[in-house]
Amino acid sequence: MTALRMPHPLRDHPEAARTVRDAFWVLALGFIAAYAFFVALGAFSPGDVLGLSIAAAILVGLWLLRAWSQAHHHDHHRDPRLAHARERRGF
């Protein structure tokens, strides 16, 4: 009896996975910005909407973790020719 082989959704479609991941971060940034805007505007107090405040804090933490991770692991994907050209110019 043969097994049914289904394509792996992330491994076989890396562009779709990257698009979904990027869309999540854009929406998260939009939520964080809207939350900060309305708090700064005085529309509501962070204590009044505790659930939204916790969600915003979690998203900010995840955003910072992502930024830190990309800053530390992005060196592997840089083009060595660009680094050489920058060093040659003295930057």
Coordinates of all heavy atoms in Angstrom, one line a residue:
M1 N 0.8 -1.2 0.0 CA 0.0 0.0 0.0 C 0.9 1.2 0.0 O 1.8 1.3 0.8 CB -0.9 0.0 1.2 CG -2.0 0.9 1.2 SD -3.2 0.3 2.4 CE -4.3 1.5 2.3
T2 N 0.6 2.2 -0.8 CA 1.5 3.4 -0.9 C 0.9 4.5 -0.1 O -0.3 4.6 0.2 CB 1.5 3.9 -2.4 OG1 0.2 4.2 -2.8 CG2 2.1 2.8 -3.3
A3 N 1.8 5.3 0.4 CA 1.4 6.5 1.2 C 1.1 7.7 0.3 O 1.8 7.9 -0.7 CB 2.5 6.8 2.2
L4 N 0.2 8.4 0.7 CA -0.1 9.7 0.0 C 0.9 10.7 0.4 O 1.1 11.1 1.5 CB -1.5 10.2 0.4 CG -2.0 11.4 -0.3 CD1 -2.1 11.3 -1.8 CD2 -3.3 11.8 0.3
R5 N 1.6 11.2 -0.6 CA 2.6 12.3 -0.4 C 2.1 13.6 -0.7 O 1.7 13.9 -1.8 CB 3.8 12.0 -1.3 CG 4.5 10.7 -1.1 CD 5.3 10.7 0.2 NE 6.0 9.5 0.4 CZ 6.6 9.1 1.4 NH1 6.7 10.0 2.4 NH2 7.2 7.9 1.5
M6 N 2.0 14.5 0.4 CA 1.5 15.8 0.2 C 2.7 16.8 0.2 O 3.7 16.5 1.0 CB 0.6 16.2 1.4 CG -0.7 15.3 1.4 SD -1.7 15.5 0.0 CE -2.3 17.2 0.2
P7 N 2.7 17.8 -0.5 CA 3.8 18.8 -0.5 C 3.9 19.5 0.8 O 2.9 19.8 1.4 CB 3.5 19.7 -1.6 CG 2.0 19.6 -1.9 CD 1.7 18.2 -1.5
H8 N 5.1 19.7 1.3 CA 5.3 20.5 2.5 C 5.0 21.9 2.3 O 5.5 22.5 1.3 CB 6.7 20.3 3.0 CG 7.0 20.8 4.4 ND1 7.3 22.1 4.6 CD2 6.9 20.2 5.6 CE1 7.4 22.3 5.9 NE2 7.2 21.1 6.5
P9 N 4.1 22.6 3.0 CA 3.7 23.9 2.7 C 4.8 25.0 2.8 O 4.7 26.0 2.1 CB 2.5 24.2 3.7 CG 2.7 23.3 4.8 CD 3.4 22.1 4.2
L10 N 5.7 24.8 3.7 CA 6.8 25.9 3.8 C 8.0 25.5 3.0 O 8.6 26.4 2.4 CB 7.1 26.0 5.3 CG 6.0 26.5 6.2 CD1 6.4 26.6 7.6 CD2 5.5 27.8 5.7
R11 N 8.4 24.3 3.0 CA 9.6 23.9 2.3 C 9.5 24.0 0.8 O 10.4 24.4 0.1 CB 10.0 22.5 2.7 CG 11.4 22.0 2.1 CD 11.7 20.6 2.4 NE 10.7 19.8 1.8 CZ 10.0 18.8 2.4 NH1 10.3 18.4 3.6 NH2 9.1 18.0 1.7
D12 N 8.3 23.6 0.3 CA 8.1 23.6 -1.2 C 7.7 25.0 -1.7 O 7.7 25.2 -2.9 CB 7.1 22.6 -1.5 CG 7.6 21.2 -1.2 OD1 8.8 21.0 -1.1 OD2 6.7 20.3 -1.1
H13 N 7.3 25.9 -0.8 CA 6.9 27.2 -1.3 C 7.5 28.3 -0.4 O 6.8 29.0 0.4 CB 5.3 27.3 -1.2 CG 4.6 26.3 -2.0 ND1 4.6 26.3 -3.4 CD2 3.9 25.2 -1.6 CE1 3.9 25.2 -3.8 NE2 3.5 24.5 -2.7
P14 N 8.8 28.5 -0.5 CA 9.5 29.5 0.4 C 9.0 30.9 0.1 O 9.0 31.7 1.1 CB 11.0 29.3 0.1 CG 11.0 28.7 -1.3 CD 9.7 27.9 -1.4
E15 N 8.6 31.3 -1.1 CA 8.2 32.6 -1.3 C 6.8 32.9 -0.7 O 6.6 34.0 -0.1 CB 8.0 32.9 -2.8 CG 9.4 33.0 -3.5 CD 10.2 34.2 -3.0 OE1 9.6 35.3 -2.8 OE2 11.4 34.0 -2.9
A16 N 5.9 31.9 -0.7 CA 4.7 32.1 0.0 C 4.9 32.2 1.5 O 4.2 33.0 2.2 CB 3.7 30.9 -0.3
A17 N 5.7 31.4 2.1 CA 6.0 31.4 3.5 C 6.6 32.8 3.9 O 6.3 33.4 4.9 CB 7.0 30.3 3.9
R18 N 7.5 33.3 3.0 CA 8.1 34.6 3.3 C 7.1 35.7 3.2 O 7.1 36.6 4.0 CB 9.3 34.9 2.3 CG 10.0 36.1 2.6 CD 11.2 36.3 1.7 NE 12.1 35.2 1.8 CZ 12.4 34.4 0.7 NH1 11.9 34.7 -0.5 NH2 13.3 33.4 0.8
T19 N 6.2 35.6 2.3 CA 5.1 36.6 2.1 C 4.2 36.6 3.4 O 3.8 37.7 3.9 CB 4.3 36.3 0.9 OG1 5.2 36.4 -0.3 CG2 3.2 37.3 0.7
V20 N 3.8 35.4 3.8 CA 3.0 35.3 5.0 C 3.7 35.9 6.2 O 3.1 36.6 7.0 CB 2.5 33.9 5.2 CG1 1.8 33.7 6.6 CG2 1.6 33.4 4.1
R21 N 4.9 35.5 6.4 CA 5.7 36.0 7.5 C 5.9 37.6 7.5 O 5.7 38.2 8.5 CB 7.1 35.4 7.5 CG 7.9 35.7 8.7 CD 9.3 34.9 8.7 NE 10.0 35.2 7.5 CZ 10.4 34.3 6.7 NH1 10.2 33.0 6.9 NH2 11.1 34.6 5.6
D22 N 6.2 38.1 6.3 CA 6.3 39.6 6.2 C 4.9 40.3 6.4 O 4.9 41.3 7.0 CB 6.8 39.9 4.8 CG 8.3 39.5 4.6 OD1 9.0 39.3 5.7 OD2 8.8 39.5 3.5
A23 N 3.9 39.6 6.0 CA 2.5 40.2 6.2 C 2.2 40.3 7.7 O 1.6 41.2 8.2 CB 1.5 39.4 5.4
F24 N 2.6 39.2 8.4 CA 2.3 39.2 9.8 C 3.1 40.4 10.5 O 2.5 41.1 11.3 CB 2.8 37.9 10.5 CG 2.8 37.9 11.9 CD1 1.7 37.8 12.7 CD2 4.0 38.1 12.6 CE1 1.7 37.9 14.1 CE2 4.1 38.1 14.0 CZ 2.9 38.0 14.7
W25 N 4.3 40.6 10.1 CA 5.1 41.6 10.8 C 4.6 43.0 10.4 O 4.6 44.0 11.2 CB 6.6 41.5 10.5 CG 7.2 40.4 11.2 CD1 7.7 39.2 10.7 CD2 7.3 40.2 12.6 NE1 8.1 38.4 11.7 CE2 7.9 39.0 12.9 CE3 6.9 41.0 13.7 CZ2 8.1 38.5 14.2 CZ3 7.1 40.5 15.0 CH2 7.7 39.3 15.2
V26 N 4.1 43.2 9.2 CA 3.5 44.5 8.8 C 2.2 44.7 9.6 O 2.0 45.8 10.1 CB 3.2 44.5 7.3 CG1 2.3 45.7 6.9 CG2 4.5 44.5 6.5
L27 N 1.4 43.7 9.7 CA 0.2 43.9 10.6 C 0.5 44.1 12.0 O -0.1 44.9 12.7 CB -0.7 42.6 10.4 CG -1.4 42.5 9.0 CD1 -2.1 41.1 9.0 CD2 -2.3 43.6 8.7
A28 N 1.5 43.4 12.5 CA 1.9 43.6 13.9 C 2.4 45.1 14.1 O 2.1 45.7 15.1 CB 3.0 42.6 14.3
L29 N 3.2 45.6 13.2 CA 3.7 46.9 13.3 C 2.6 47.9 13.2 O 2.5 48.9 13.9 CB 4.8 47.2 12.2 CG 5.4 48.6 12.3 CD1 6.1 48.8 13.6 CD2 6.3 48.8 11.1
G30 N 1.6 47.6 12.4 CA 0.4 48.5 12.3 C -0.4 48.5 13.6 O -0.8 49.6 14.0
F31 N -0.5 47.4 14.2 CA -1.3 47.3 15.5 C -0.5 48.1 16.6 O -1.1 48.8 17.3 CB -1.4 45.8 15.9 CG -2.0 45.7 17.3 CD1 -3.4 45.9 17.5 CD2 -1.2 45.4 18.4 CE1 -3.9 45.7 18.8 CE2 -1.7 45.3 19.6 CZ -3.1 45.5 19.8
I32 N 0.8 47.9 16.6 CA 1.6 48.6 17.6 C 1.5 50.1 17.4 O 1.4 50.9 18.3 CB 3.1 48.1 17.5 CG1 3.2 46.7 18.0 CG2 4.0 49.0 18.4 CD1 4.5 46.0 17.7
A33 N 1.6 50.5 16.1 CA 1.6 52.0 15.8 C 0.2 52.5 16.2 O 0.1 53.6 16.8 CB 1.9 52.2 14.4
A34 N -0.9 51.8 15.8 CA -2.2 52.3 16.2 C -2.4 52.4 17.7 O -3.0 53.3 18.2 CB -3.3 51.4 15.5
Y35 N -2.0 51.4 18.4 CA -2.1 51.3 19.8 C -1.3 52.5 20.4 O -1.9 53.3 21.3 CB -1.5 50.0 20.4 CG -1.5 50.0 21.9 CD1 -2.7 49.6 22.6 CD2 -0.4 50.3 22.6 CE1 -2.7 49.6 24.0 CE2 -0.4 50.2 24.0 CZ -1.5 49.9 24.7 OH -1.6 49.8 26.0
A36 N -0.1 52.8 20.0 CA 0.7 53.9 20.5 C 0.1 55.2 20.2 O 0.0 56.1 21.0 CB 2.1 53.8 20.0
F37 N -0.5 55.3 19.0 CA -1.1 56.6 18.5 C -2.3 56.9 19.4 O -2.5 58.0 19.9 CB -1.6 56.4 17.1 CG -2.4 57.6 16.6 CD1 -1.8 58.8 16.3 CD2 -3.8 57.5 16.4 CE1 -2.5 59.9 15.9 CE2 -4.5 58.6 16.0 CZ -3.9 59.8 15.7
F38 N -3.2 55.9 19.7 CA -4.4 56.2 20.4 C -4.1 56.4 21.9 O -4.8 57.1 22.6 CB -5.4 55.1 20.2 CG -6.1 55.1 18.9 CD1 -6.0 54.1 18.0 CD2 -6.9 56.2 18.6 CE1 -6.6 54.2 16.8 CE2 -7.5 56.3 17.4 CZ -7.4 55.3 16.4
V39 N -3.0 55.7 22.4 CA -2.6 56.0 23.8 C -2.1 57.4 23.9 O -2.4 58.2 24.8 CB -1.6 55.0 24.3 CG1 -0.9 55.4 25.6 CG2 -2.3 53.6 24.5
A40 N -1.2 57.8 22.9 CA -0.7 59.2 23.0 C -1.8 60.2 22.8 O -1.7 61.3 23.3 CB 0.4 59.3 21.9
L41 N -2.8 59.9 22.0 CA -3.9 60.8 21.8 C -4.8 61.0 23.0 O -5.5 62.0 23.2 CB -4.7 60.3 20.6 CG -5.8 61.2 20.0 CD1 -5.1 62.4 19.4 CD2 -6.5 60.4 18.9
G42 N -4.7 60.0 23.9 CA -5.6 60.0 25.1 C -6.9 59.4 24.9 O -7.8 59.6 25.7
A43 N -7.1 58.6 23.8 CA -8.4 58.0 23.5 C -8.7 57.0 24.6 O -9.9 56.8 24.9 CB -8.4 57.4 22.1
F44 N -7.7 56.3 25.1 CA -8.0 55.3 26.2 C -6.7 55.2 27.0 O -5.6 55.6 26.6 CB -8.4 54.0 25.7 CG -7.5 53.4 24.6 CD1 -6.3 52.7 25.0 CD2 -7.8 53.5 23.3 CE1 -5.5 52.2 24.1 CE2 -6.9 52.9 22.3 CZ -5.8 52.3 22.7
S45 N -6.8 54.7 28.2 CA -5.7 54.5 29.1 C -5.2 53.1 28.9 O -6.1 52.2 28.8 CB -6.1 54.8 30.5 OG -5.1 54.4 31.4
P46 N -3.9 52.8 29.0 CA -3.5 51.4 28.9 C -4.1 50.5 29.9 O -4.3 49.3 29.7 CB -2.0 51.5 29.0 CG -1.6 52.9 28.6 CD -2.8 53.7 29.0
G47 N -4.4 51.0 31.1 CA -5.0 50.2 32.2 C -6.4 49.9 31.9 O -6.9 48.8 32.4
D48 N -7.1 50.7 31.1 CA -8.5 50.4 30.8 C -8.6 49.3 29.8 O -9.6 48.5 29.8 CB -9.2 51.7 30.2 CG -9.3 52.8 31.2 OD1 -9.2 52.5 32.4 OD2 -9.5 53.9 30.7
V49 N -7.7 49.1 28.9 CA -7.7 48.0 27.9 C -6.5 47.1 28.2 O -5.6 47.0 27.4 CB -7.7 48.6 26.5 CG1 -9.1 49.2 26.1 CG2 -6.6 49.6 26.3
L50 N -6.6 46.4 29.2 CA -5.5 45.5 29.7 C -5.1 44.5 28.6 O -4.0 44.2 28.4 CB -5.8 44.9 31.0 CG -4.6 44.3 31.8 CD1 -3.5 45.3 32.0 CD2 -5.1 43.7 33.1
G51 N -6.1 43.9 28.0 CA -5.9 42.8 27.0 C -5.1 43.4 25.8 O -4.1 42.8 25.3
L52 N -5.5 44.6 25.3 CA -4.7 45.2 24.2 C -3.3 45.6 24.6 O -2.4 45.5 23.9 CB -5.5 46.4 23.7 CG -6.8 46.1 22.9 CD1 -7.4 47.5 22.5 CD2 -6.5 45.3 21.7
S53 N -3.2 46.1 25.9 CA -1.9 46.4 26.4 C -0.9 45.3 26.4 O 0.2 45.3 26.1 CB -2.0 47.1 27.8 OG -2.8 48.2 27.7
I54 N -1.5 44.1 26.9 CA -0.6 42.9 27.0 C -0.3 42.4 25.6 O 0.9 42.1 25.3 CB -1.4 41.8 27.8 CG1 -1.4 42.2 29.2 CG2 -0.7 40.5 27.6 CD1 -2.3 41.3 30.1
A55 N -1.2 42.5 24.7 CA -1.0 42.1 23.3 C 0.1 43.0 22.6 O 1.0 42.5 21.9 CB -2.3 42.1 22.5
A56 N -0.1 44.3 22.9 CA 0.9 45.2 22.3 C 2.3 45.0 22.9 O 3.3 45.0 22.2 CB 0.5 46.7 22.5
A57 N 2.4 44.7 24.2 CA 3.7 44.4 24.8 C 4.3 43.2 24.3 O 5.5 43.1 24.0 CB 3.5 44.3 26.3
I58 N 3.5 42.1 24.0 CA 4.0 40.9 23.5 C 4.5 41.1 22.1 O 5.6 40.7 21.7 CB 2.9 39.8 23.5 CG1 2.7 39.3 25.0 CG2 3.3 38.6 22.6 CD1 1.5 38.4 25.2
L59 N 3.8 41.9 21.2 CA 4.2 42.1 19.9 C 5.4 43.0 19.8 O 6.3 42.8 19.0 CB 3.1 42.8 19.1 CG 1.9 41.9 18.7 CD1 0.8 42.7 18.0 CD2 2.4 40.8 17.8
V60 N 5.6 44.0 20.7 CA 6.8 44.8 20.8 C 8.0 43.9 21.2 O 9.1 44.0 20.6 CB 6.6 45.9 21.8 CG1 7.9 46.6 22.1 CG2 5.7 47.0 21.2
G61 N 7.8 43.0 22.1 CA 8.8 42.1 22.5 C 9.3 41.2 21.4 O 10.4 40.9 21.1
L62 N 8.3 40.6 20.6 CA 8.6 39.8 19.5 C 9.3 40.6 18.4 O 10.2 40.1 17.7 CB 7.3 39.2 19.0 CG 6.7 38.1 19.8 CD1 5.3 37.6 19.2 CD2 7.6 36.9 19.9
W63 N 8.8 41.8 18.2 CA 9.5 42.7 17.2 C 10.9 42.9 17.5 O 11.8 42.9 16.7 CB 8.7 44.0 17.1 CG 9.2 44.9 16.0 CD1 10.2 45.8 16.0 CD2 8.8 44.9 14.6 NE1 10.4 46.4 14.8 CE2 9.5 45.8 13.9 CE3 7.8 44.1 13.9 CZ2 9.4 46.1 12.6 CZ3 7.6 44.4 12.6 CH2 8.4 45.3 11.9
L64 N 11.2 43.3 18.8 CA 12.6 43.5 19.2 C 13.4 42.2 19.1 O 14.6 42.3 18.7 CB 12.6 44.0 20.7 CG 12.0 45.4 20.9 CD1 11.9 45.8 22.3 CD2 12.8 46.5 20.1
L65 N 12.9 41.1 19.5 CA 13.6 39.8 19.3 C 13.9 39.6 17.9 O 15.0 39.1 17.6 CB 12.8 38.7 19.9 CG 13.4 37.3 19.9 CD1 14.6 37.3 20.9 CD2 12.4 36.3 20.4
R66 N 13.0 39.8 17.0 CA 13.2 39.6 15.6 C 14.3 40.6 15.0 O 15.2 40.2 14.3 CB 11.9 39.9 14.8 CG 12.1 39.8 13.3 CD 10.8 40.2 12.6 NE 10.9 40.3 11.2 CZ 11.1 41.4 10.6 NH1 11.2 42.5 11.2 NH2 11.3 41.4 9.3
A67 N 14.3 41.8 15.5 CA 15.3 42.8 15.1 C 16.6 42.4 15.6 O 17.6 42.5 14.8 CB 14.9 44.2 15.5
W68 N 16.7 42.0 16.8 CA 18.0 41.5 17.4 C 18.5 40.3 16.6 O 19.7 40.2 16.3 CB 17.8 41.2 18.8 CG 19.1 40.7 19.5 CD1 20.2 41.4 19.9 CD2 19.4 39.3 19.7 NE1 21.1 40.6 20.4 CE2 20.7 39.3 20.3 CE3 18.7 38.1 19.5 CZ2 21.3 38.1 20.6 CZ3 19.4 37.0 19.8 CH2 20.6 37.0 20.4
S69 N 17.6 39.4 16.3 CA 18.0 38.2 15.6 C 18.5 38.5 14.2 O 19.5 37.9 13.8 CB 16.9 37.2 15.6 OG 17.2 36.1 14.8
Q70 N 17.8 39.3 13.5 CA 18.2 39.7 12.2 C 19.5 40.4 12.1 O 20.4 40.3 11.2 CB 17.2 40.5 11.5 CG 16.0 39.7 11.0 CD 15.0 40.5 10.1 OE1 15.0 41.7 10.2 NE2 14.2 39.8 9.4
A71 N 19.8 41.3 13.2 CA 21.0 42.0 13.2 C 22.2 41.1 13.4 O 23.3 41.3 12.9 CB 20.9 43.1 14.3
H72 N 22.0 40.0 14.2 CA 23.1 39.1 14.5 C 23.3 38.0 13.5 O 24.4 37.5 13.3 CB 22.9 38.5 15.9 CG 23.2 39.4 17.0 ND1 23.2 40.8 16.9 CD2 23.5 39.2 18.3 CE1 23.5 41.4 18.0 NE2 23.7 40.4 18.9
H73 N 22.3 37.7 12.8 CA 22.4 36.6 11.8 C 22.4 37.1 10.4 O 22.5 36.3 9.5 CB 21.3 35.6 12.0 CG 21.3 34.9 13.3 ND1 22.3 34.1 13.7 CD2 20.5 35.0 14.4 CE1 22.1 33.7 14.9 NE2 21.0 34.2 15.4
H74 N 22.3 38.3 10.1 CA 22.3 38.9 8.8 C 23.7 38.9 8.2 O 23.8 39.0 6.9 CB 21.6 40.3 8.8 CG 21.3 40.8 7.4 ND1 20.6 40.1 6.5 CD2 21.7 41.9 6.8 CE1 20.5 40.8 5.4 NE2 21.1 41.9 5.5
D75 N 24.7 38.8 8.9 CA 26.1 38.9 8.4 C 26.4 37.8 7.5 O 27.2 37.9 6.6 CB 27.1 38.9 9.5 CG 27.0 40.2 10.4 OD1 26.5 41.2 9.8 OD2 27.4 40.2 11.5
H76 N 25.7 36.6 7.6 CA 26.0 35.5 6.8 C 25.5 35.6 5.4 O 26.0 35.0 4.5 CB 25.4 34.2 7.4 CG 25.9 33.9 8.8 ND1 27.2 33.6 9.0 CD2 25.2 34.0 10.0 CE1 27.3 33.4 10.3 NE2 26.1 33.6 10.9
H77 N 24.6 36.5 5.2 CA 24.0 36.7 3.8 C 24.5 37.9 3.1 O 24.0 38.3 2.1 CB 22.4 36.8 4.0 CG 21.8 35.6 4.7 ND1 21.9 34.4 4.1 CD2 21.2 35.5 5.9 CE1 21.3 33.5 4.9 NE2 20.9 34.2 6.0
R78 N 25.5 38.6 3.6 CA 26.0 39.8 3.0 C 27.0 39.4 1.9 O 27.7 38.4 2.0 CB 26.7 40.7 4.0 CG 25.7 41.3 4.9 CD 26.4 42.4 5.8 NE 25.4 42.9 6.7 CZ 25.6 43.6 7.7 NH1 26.9 43.9 8.0 NH2 24.7 44.1 8.5
D79 N 27.0 40.2 0.9 CA 27.9 40.0 -0.3 C 29.3 40.4 0.1 O 29.5 41.5 0.5 CB 27.4 40.7 -1.5 CG 28.1 40.4 -2.8 OD1 29.0 39.5 -2.7 OD2 27.7 41.0 -3.8
P80 N 30.3 39.5 0.0 CA 31.6 39.9 0.4 C 32.2 40.9 -0.5 O 33.1 41.7 -0.1 CB 32.4 38.5 0.3 CG 31.6 37.6 -0.4 CD 30.1 38.1 -0.3
R81 N 31.7 41.0 -1.7 CA 32.2 42.1 -2.6 C 31.9 43.5 -2.1 O 32.7 44.4 -2.2 CB 31.7 41.9 -4.0 CG 32.2 40.6 -4.7 CD 31.5 40.3 -6.0 NE 30.1 40.2 -5.7 CZ 29.2 40.0 -6.6 NH1 29.5 40.1 -7.9 NH2 27.9 39.9 -6.3
L82 N 30.7 43.6 -1.5 CA 30.3 44.9 -0.9 C 31.2 45.3 0.3 O 31.6 46.4 0.4 CB 28.8 44.9 -0.5 CG 27.8 44.7 -1.7 CD1 26.4 44.6 -1.1 CD2 27.9 45.9 -2.6
A83 N 31.5 44.3 1.1 CA 32.3 44.6 2.2 C 33.7 45.0 1.8 O 34.3 45.9 2.3 CB 32.4 43.3 3.2
H84 N 34.2 44.3 0.8 CA 35.6 44.6 0.2 C 35.6 46.0 -0.3 O 36.5 46.8 -0.1 CB 36.0 43.6 -0.8 CG 37.3 43.9 -1.5 ND1 38.5 43.8 -0.8 CD2 37.6 44.3 -2.7 CE1 39.4 44.1 -1.6 NE2 38.9 44.5 -2.8
A85 N 34.6 46.4 -1.1 CA 34.5 47.7 -1.7 C 34.4 48.8 -0.6 O 35.0 49.8 -0.7 CB 33.3 47.8 -2.6
R86 N 33.7 48.5 0.5 CA 33.5 49.5 1.6 C 34.9 49.6 2.3 O 35.3 50.7 2.6 CB 32.4 49.0 2.5 CG 32.1 50.0 3.6 CD 30.9 49.5 4.5 NE 31.1 48.2 5.0 CZ 30.4 47.1 4.6 NH1 29.4 47.2 3.8 NH2 30.6 45.9 5.2
E87 N 35.6 48.5 2.5 CA 36.9 48.6 3.2 C 37.9 49.3 2.3 O 38.7 50.0 2.8 CB 37.3 47.2 3.5 CG 36.5 46.5 4.6 CD 36.8 45.1 4.7 OE1 37.6 44.5 4.0 OE2 36.2 44.4 5.6
R88 N 37.8 49.1 1.0 CA 38.7 49.8 0.1 C 38.5 51.3 0.1 O 39.5 52.1 0.0 CB 38.6 49.2 -1.3 CG 39.6 49.7 -2.3 CD 39.2 49.3 -3.6 NE 37.8 49.7 -3.8 CZ 37.1 49.5 -4.9 NH1 37.6 48.9 -5.9 NH2 35.8 49.9 -4.9
R89 N 37.3 51.7 0.3 CA 37.0 53.2 0.3 C 37.3 53.8 1.7 O 37.3 55.0 1.9 CB 35.5 53.4 0.0 CG 35.2 53.1 -1.5 CD 33.8 53.6 -1.8 NE 32.8 53.2 -0.9 CZ 31.9 52.2 -1.0 NH1 32.0 51.4 -2.1 NH2 31.0 51.9 -0.1
G90 N 37.5 53.0 2.7 CA 37.8 53.5 4.0 C 36.6 53.7 4.9 O 36.7 54.3 6.0
F91 N 35.5 53.0 4.6 CA 34.3 53.2 5.5 C 34.2 52.0 6.4 O 34.4 50.9 6.2 CB 33.0 53.2 4.6 CG 32.8 54.5 3.9 CD1 33.1 54.6 2.6 CD2 32.4 55.6 4.6 CE1 33.0 55.7 1.9 CE2 32.2 56.8 3.9 CZ 32.5 56.9 2.5

